Amino acid sequence: MNNWYKTFIVLSECRSYTETAKRLYCSQPTVTQHIKQLERSLECTLIQRNKRKIELTNKGEIVLKHAQMICHYEEKMMDAIRQSESEEKVSLYLSTYIANHYFEEIFGSHFNDEKLSYEINCYCYNELKNLLFEKKIKFAIMPIYELDPILLQQFDVEMLFREELHLAVSPMHPLAERQILYGRDLEDYEIYVPQGEFYTQAIKMSLQQKNIIPNYSKMSNFTVIAKALHHQSGMAFLPPKVIEQEGLLFKPVKGLSIRRMMTIVKQKNVVLSTSEQAICEHIKECIGTPVS
């Protein structure tokens, strides 16, 4: 019906079906049809012809005023929608690890779409998990573990990449020159683990399956573990990014592989906004592993 109103407004200005058709880039029969449909819908005559001159009826004058208001407010509504989309601020929820070690890849100079406004919120694994279950957030960029399958069961999970945890030592460690280590080598040293429950469980279970029983020392986070490695003779299973950025060495352990997945975890049956989808796609392009 809005198209009928627009045609009627232009016709009231041009007072010519031919000129109205030209201005609206349509055929003259289309103009005629719009006017007839509008009159039929409103059950009144809007146009009268006097000696080939088009005039509005009294009811036509009333309809014109209201049609102009309707089209004006429609334009204002569409402008407000467009402005809302351009000003929408997306709340990004990232694991502290992703924020600390993949910030440049995600938020570097190439991330300069002025239409995308965002705020960054960093939380540990359990905090992000709780926010998802409480439905306080739509999605999160975070690790998931095979030992904690509930996220896979309850949410839509899109994998970004698989990450292997490497055994890390300082350049001054007694075993720093060794090309490869064996399980028995680990039993002579402290293994530093972070506070994260499932991260630590993944390490312990993998070592137990290989009959490796070392001593463990719990520390608050990767940064503290890295400092401890530089000053003591312990070991730690750390992500490659941490090892590289902290100036540590990684040593392969014969027959041992410990992995976790970095993912986008989304609420099921929740539609992301255009901006949220755009940021998720951007993150996948920056740090996701292409699917072959």
Side-chain angles (χ1 to χ4, degrees):
M1 182 176 282
N2 280 358
N3 285 337
W4 305 345
Y5 285 136
K6 290 174 184 176
T7 300
F8 178 58
I9 292 170
V10 174
L11 180 61
S12 69
E13 295 171 355
C14 298
R15 303 297 169 118
S16 164
Y17 281 84
T18 303
E19 288 301 316
T20 299
K22 287 180 181 179
R23 189 182 296 187
L24 295 175
Y25 299 99
C26 65
S27 66
Q28 186 172 327
T30 298
V31 175
T32 302
Q33 183 182 29
H34 281 186
I35 299 303
K36 287 182 178 179
Q37 287 171 325
L38 184 58
E39 288 180 326
R40 192 179 303 120
S41 173
L42 298 175
E43 298 181 350
C44 66
T45 301
L46 305 175
I47 301 292
Q48 62 184 12
R49 296 177 178 83
N50 296 319
K51 297 180 181 179
R52 295 186 180 181
K53 185 179 179 183
I54 292 175
E55 297 288 350
L56 301 185
T57 64
N58 290 337
K59 291 181 179 178
E61 294 287 356
I62 294 171
V63 170
L64 175 62
K65 292 179 182 179
H66 288 279
Q68 290 170 332
M69 291 173 59
I70 289 170
C71 291
H72 171 70
Y73 282 110
E74 182 189 27
E75 289 178 5
K76 288 188 68 174
M77 178 183 69
M78 295 307 298
D79 286 343
I81 290 172
R82 285 188 288 269
Q83 185 176 2
S84 173
E85 288 178 348
S86 65
E87 293 178 352
E88 178 188 3
K89 180 171 285 188
V90 176
S91 292
L92 265 177
Y93 289 84
L94 312 176
S95 71
T96 303
Y97 169 71
I98 288 287
N100 286 342
H101 299 285
Y102 286 89
F103 192 93
E104 285 301 320
E105 285 91 332
I106 297 174
F107 305 106
S109 57
H110 56 290
F111 190 60
N112 57 5
D113 190 336
E114 294 179 357
K115 295 181 180 179
L116 294 179
S117 177
Y118 56 90
E119 60 182 18
I120 302 171
N121 304 278
C122 304
Y123 293 94
C124 70
Y125 175 84
N126 282 333
E127 290 172 329
L128 288 174
K129 184 176 168 182
N130 290 336
L131 288 170
L132 286 165
F133 273 100
E134 292 169 4
K135 298 188 182 302
K136 292 182 177 178
I137 62 176
K138 289 185 180 180
F139 67 98
I141 316 301
M142 62 185 294
I144 61 173
Y145 301 89
E146 293 181 358
L147 294 171
D148 187 25
I150 192 167
L151 287 174
L152 286 167
Q153 296 167 357
Q154 299 293 323
F155 299 92
D156 290 331
V157 176
E158 192 167 358
M159 189 176 74
L160 294 170
F161 60 91
R162 291 187 183 275
E163 182 177 66
E164 184 150 1
L165 308 181
H166 296 302
L167 184 68
V169 299
S170 76
M172 303 304 295
H173 193 277
L175 301 179
E177 299 299 322
R178 291 271 296 274
Q179 295 299 311
I180 191 167
L181 301 181
Y182 296 89
R184 60 180 178 273
D185 296 319
L186 278 59
E187 295 182 344
D188 296 329
Y189 298 92
E190 268 325 276
I191 302 292
Y192 304 145
V193 293
Q195 296 288 343
E197 174 188 0
F198 292 102
Y199 187 100
T200 299
Q201 282 187 20
I203 294 169
K204 290 183 176 181
M205 183 171 290
S206 296
L207 295 184
Q208 286 173 5
Q209 289 173 350
K210 297 294 181 180
N211 296 315
I212 304 170
I213 313 296
N215 293 319
Y216 295 97
S217 291
K218 188 166 286 189
M219 300 188 177
S220 59
N221 53 47
F222 293 148
T223 301
V224 175
I225 289 174
K227 291 183 182 298
L229 290 177
H230 279 297
H231 291 88
Q232 301 176 34
S233 60
M235 299 175 164
F237 286 92
L238 298 174
K241 278 277 189 179
V242 177
I243 295 173
E244 176 188 347
Q245 293 177 7
E246 297 291 346
L248 299 166
L249 304 176
F250 80 85
K251 296 295 172 184
V253 179
K254 183 74 172 180
L256 186 65
S257 177
I258 306 174
R259 292 184 176 182
R260 64 177 180 173
M261 292 185 289
M262 287 297 157
T263 65
I264 302 176
V265 182
K266 303 175 184 176
Q267 297 282 356
K268 288 192 175 186
N269 302 319
V270 172
V271 179
L272 300 186
S273 70
T274 302
S275 296
E276 289 168 336
Q277 291 174 6
I279 287 184
C280 285
E281 289 301 317
H282 172 77
I283 291 172
K284 285 191 286 186
E285 289 177 6
C286 291
I287 63 175
T289 301
V291 178
S292 57

